[in-house]
Amino acid sequence: MFRRTFWFTAGAAAGVWATTKVNRKIRQLTPESLAAQAANRAIEAGHRIKDFALDVRDGMAQREAELDEVLGLNADPELPPARRVAALENGSDPKHDKNPQYSKNPTYVERSTYSYNRNEDH
């Protein structure tokens, strides 16, 4: 009697366990669940890539500092001298029209009104 009850209970428990396991697997294979899993994996991959990029950036900065120290570039760099704007002199001068020497070697005007403003209307 106890043996039959034991096997009946064991069979019922195995059936409930198997049914629960199959239902979970079916829910995991629905399109919505698959899309959510793919999105979660993509987010995790993005975080891993971001962490890798940050590690690379830190390593680059550290190596650059080491190279600067070895090469003695730690001092404040001097800025290059300011560039002067030089524009061609206006070609309406009569000496430019008559003498070919001036057309080969244009003269420059140091303080011109030429603007480098990219946003200026043309």
Side-chain angles (χ1 to χ4, degrees), residues 45-93:
H47 288 303
R48 285 193 302 262
I49 290 171
K50 178 183 172 188
D51 291 340
F52 174 74
L54 291 174
D55 289 343
V56 168
R57 184 185 300 172
D58 291 342
M60 286 172 39
Q62 179 182 0
R63 181 64 179 151
E64 185 176 351
E66 291 171 3
L67 290 173
D68 286 347
E69 184 178 329
V70 169
L71 297 174
L73 300 176
N74 288 339
D76 291 335
E78 290 184 26
L79 294 176
R83 293 179 61 187
R84 301 184 93 190
V85 176
L88 285 174
E89 192 171 281
N90 192 355
S92 64
D93 192 1

Side-chain angles (χ1 to χ4, degrees), residues 3-32:
R3 200 176 270 190
R4 288 182 187 173
T5 307
F6 170 76
W7 286 113
F8 176 77
T9 307
V16 168
W17 177 79
T19 304
T20 304
K21 192 90 165 158
V22 167
N23 284 337
R24 281 186 191 162
K25 189 55 88 174
I26 288 173
R27 272 185 261 137
Q28 285 179 354
L29 296 176
T30 60
E32 295 85 14

